[in-house]
Amino acid sequence: FGATGVAGGCVPTRRAVPPTPQKGNARLYTREARGPVDTVVQKLTEASKANQFGVLGVINLKAKLAEKGVEFGPPCFIVEVCNPVKAKKVLEREMSISTALPCRISVYEHGGKVIVATMRPTAMLRLYDAPDLEPVAQEVEATILRIIDSACE
């Protein structure tokens, strides 16, 4: 598929990060970063590569919206990551899962804080009729969380 207190690091959030619909949302993995958005994006990119995940793209959502004439205030980056071996295994079993690929990790500002968030691959898998892929989703999820945690050290 798809915590430390140092500068540029992340700390776990004890509560859901607004907006309110995320409150108590076990489908999301969310961390609060202490560094600037650009630094956190760079650390995510490096951690992804170190964990055998390729970075397929980094989307600057604020800039993309501005290109379309839409003003959007806070910075928001989406880091698209993928492990090609895991993706192949999943797609060979259930091609419709391609709609959830690649995995995305968001880095954005909200309420004066920098937030790092991703949808849990195990939660995404439940949208498809492929319970036999749960071990792969668990492995991918563990790696994605490790990537986020590593980027936060």
Side-chain angles (χ1 to χ4, degrees):
F1 297 94
T4 66
V6 297
C10 300
V11 294
T13 54
R14 292 276 184 221
R15 59 178 173 68
V17 176
T20 310
Q22 294 178 359
K23 188 169 187 152
N25 188 344
R27 294 178 299 265
L28 291 175
Y29 183 73
T30 305
R31 306 284 282 201
E32 183 180 322
R34 293 191 180 174
V37 171
D38 292 343
T39 300
V40 176
V41 169
Q42 183 59 39
K43 287 184 173 192
L44 279 172
T45 299
E46 293 165 4
S48 296
K49 292 174 184 176
N51 282 277
Q52 290 73 51
F53 270 62
V55 175
L56 303 179
V58 177
I59 300 167
N60 179 338
L61 195 56
K62 181 177 180 173
K64 286 290 181 191
L65 291 173
E67 286 174 13
K68 305 297 181 191
V70 177
E71 287 194 37
F72 184 72
C76 179
F77 288 82
I78 302 165
V79 181
E80 297 176 317
V81 300
C82 186
N83 177 295
V85 174
K86 302 294 183 205
K88 179 181 184 283
K89 185 174 187 174
V90 167
L91 293 171
E92 286 177 340
R93 162 59 179 85
E94 182 58 57
M95 193 61 151
S96 66
I97 293 176
S98 64
T99 60
L101 298 178
C103 294
R104 292 167 182 86
I105 303 171
S106 294
V107 182
Y108 56 92
E109 286 185 7
H110 185 80
K113 298 177 181 178
V114 175
I115 306 300
V116 181
T118 193
M119 291 291 296
R120 292 179 178 269
T122 54
M124 295 292 287
L125 181 63
R126 292 184 192 109
L127 298 172
Y128 304 91
D129 185 26
D132 54 307
L133 290 174
E134 183 72 20
V136 178
Q138 290 172 348
E139 189 176 339
V140 169
E141 183 170 306
T143 304
I144 295 286
L145 302 189
R146 190 168 51 250
I147 287 167
I148 291 171
D149 293 344
S150 176
C152 295
E153 293 179 358

